[in-house]
Amino acid sequence: MVAIRNRIRRRPRRAFVLSGGGNLGALQVGMLRALVDAGITADVVLGCSVGAVNGSTFARWPDPEGIDRLERFWTGADAGEPVMPGSRLPPLVQLLRKGDSLHRPDGLRTRLERLHGVEATFEELVVPFQCVAAEVDTAAETWFDSGALVPAVMASSALPAVYPATTIAQRRYLDGGVVNNVPISRALELGCREIVVLHVGLHGRPDARIRRPLDAALQAYWVARNARFANDLAHLPDGVEAVILPPGDRPDIRYDDFSHSAELIERGHRNATAFLAERAEAFERRASAGALERIRTGVRSRGWVATAQRAAIDPEGAVLRADDSDATAGATTEDGGPDHGGPGDPGGTTDSGLP
């Protein structure tokens, strides 16, 4: 643990932040390949839920061969013991069954142990990695960064109702998405100045129509989870940049359907590659300018907050950077296009560069 923290402390510059998203996490595999292809590296990897599955694997093998391992992990998700055994029962009937979850976690655990090894630890990883879970009894956001790797990833991935809580050292944990689905706040705590966000878009968004009380409950959960992401974006400290890779439009597939993984991986790679290529010149220009050293959070306008809210759900991706020189600068795009904040609105900057 000390070695990992020392490595983070020496170079707390760029974080890859991988969100939760269930079977849509296959998109992140393609995004990671695009980042590797572009030569963009991470000083720390932070994961939530399926982002912990992908992030831990990338942190261990942060190279093309590691991406190949992830692709095999995903495209084989329906082979052998399934991650989520299928059911012929309608989803509503499944939710009304007795028991603590729809599925047992055995399939996911077996695959993770096969991938990393039963005795794998955080200390073995090439890139420092942390994952988040929600402790049940204290309602606390809990981060794992040392010790046994697979149990921590299982805790981060224990999606409520789908999987049972994971018990570690007599404490129960649920999916990290309950408390911090896109944990850019952790990257800020570690002092990172560049945050590359790999999230999967409007995953889990329920139908806007309310036909039964369950619909209203699911909608409220989705709003709360995504509001945290938008709020964190709205409060980026000055000089910190968030690059949100494009998830594309939400595919219409069941939560337990892993048969589209290869297609999602390809889509994630295609979208991220195009997004990064369009900004390659800006990346190089910002890199030659050097790092901004001062961190402060200015007062953000409603226009800046609205920009952040849109960025949190934009299928085309976004780049947000709070203006370090003047917290009241207008929200603009680098190409001189229309801003998101309205004339005269103070706030930050939407840009197209990664330092």
Side-chain angles (χ1 to χ4, degrees):
M1 179 174 66
V2 173
I4 287 180
R5 286 178 176 169
N6 285 340
R7 282 188 287 164
I8 294 174
R9 193 174 295 118
R10 284 196 298 268
R11 286 188 58 195
R13 183 166 176 77
R14 181 182 296 146
F16 286 2
V17 175
L18 288 79
S19 76
N23 55 350
L24 299 187
L27 289 166
Q28 294 175 345
V29 181
M31 293 175 179
L32 286 169
R33 186 176 292 283
L35 289 167
V36 169
D37 291 345
I40 299 173
T41 60
D43 301 314
V44 63
V45 179
L46 306 172
C48 172
S49 194
V50 74
V53 174
N54 292 329
S56 61
T57 307
F58 178 78
R60 186 164 190 170
W61 298 287
D63 51 33
E65 290 73 19
I67 305 301
D68 291 342
R69 289 174 185 264
L70 264 177
E71 285 201 12
R72 291 193 294 270
F73 178 90
W74 277 92
T75 55
D78 281 336
E81 186 174 10
V83 173
M84 293 182 184
S87 174
R88 296 181 179 179
L89 296 175
L92 180 58
V93 175
Q94 293 185 57
L95 287 172
L96 294 177
R97 291 166 52 197
K98 290 184 178 180
D100 57 356
S101 63
L102 295 175
H103 303 290
R104 305 310 303 167
D106 305 330
L108 178 58
R109 180 183 293 107
T110 297
R111 289 184 178 279
L112 288 173
E113 290 176 347
R114 188 179 302 143
L115 182 65
H116 288 287
V118 176
E119 303 298 328
T121 66
F122 282 82
E123 288 76 8
E124 298 171 20
L125 304 179
V126 174
V127 180
F129 167 72
Q130 300 181 11
C131 61
V132 63
E135 187 177 344
V136 175
D137 298 309
T138 62
E141 178 178 322
T142 302
W143 283 88
F144 295 93
D145 64 359
S146 64
L149 181 65
V150 171
V153 173
M154 291 295 297
S156 184
S157 307
L159 186 63
V162 175
Y163 289 135
T166 295
T167 300
I168 300 176
Q170 299 181 324
R171 295 179 180 272
R172 297 181 300 152
Y173 297 96
L174 286 175
D175 191 287
V178 174
V179 288
N180 200 348
N181 191 57
V182 192
I184 61 175
S185 58
R186 184 65 170 183
L188 296 176
E189 290 175 11
L190 295 174
C192 296
R193 312 307 305 277
E194 305 161 16
I195 305 171
V196 182
V197 181
L198 293 77
H199 80 131
V200 299
L202 303 181
H203 72 279
R205 185 174 188 174
D207 195 305
R209 294 172 296 175
I210 304 297
R211 291 167 293 189
R212 51 186 180 268
L214 178 61
D215 294 334
L218 292 175
Q219 188 176 82
Y221 174 62
W222 184 86
V223 168
R225 185 179 59 189
N226 287 275
R228 168 70 188 268
F229 178 34
N231 185 66
D232 286 346
L233 287 175
H235 290 85
L236 287 177
D238 294 329
V240 173
E241 183 170 80
V243 178
I244 307 166
L245 297 182
D249 295 324
R250 180 184 60 164
D252 185 20
I253 59 177
R254 279 175 54 100
Y255 78 95
D256 56 355
D257 180 1
F258 288 83
S259 65
H260 299 272
S261 293
E263 170 191 336
L264 292 173
I265 291 170
E266 194 281 329
R267 190 176 86 174
H269 180 256
R270 181 179 64 249
N271 290 347
T273 297
F275 183 88
L276 294 171
E278 290 173 2
R279 292 153 179 81
E281 182 180 345
F283 294 170
E284 295 174 2
R285 183 170 63 253
R286 294 287 302 283
S288 63
L292 297 169
E293 296 301 329
R294 183 162 54 94
I295 296 181
R296 63 184 176 84
T297 302
V299 177
R300 304 290 181 231
S301 71
R302 285 179 296 177
W304 170 248
V305 172
T307 298
Q309 290 172 337
R310 276 189 282 271
I313 60 173
D314 191 344
E316 301 302 320
V319 181
L320 294 180
R321 188 182 71 255
D323 194 312
D324 188 74
S325 61
D326 183 358
T328 63
T332 62
T333 58
E334 187 177 75
D335 62 3
D339 70 346
H340 293 285
D345 271 338
T349 303
T350 57
D351 202 345
S352 57
L354 179 69

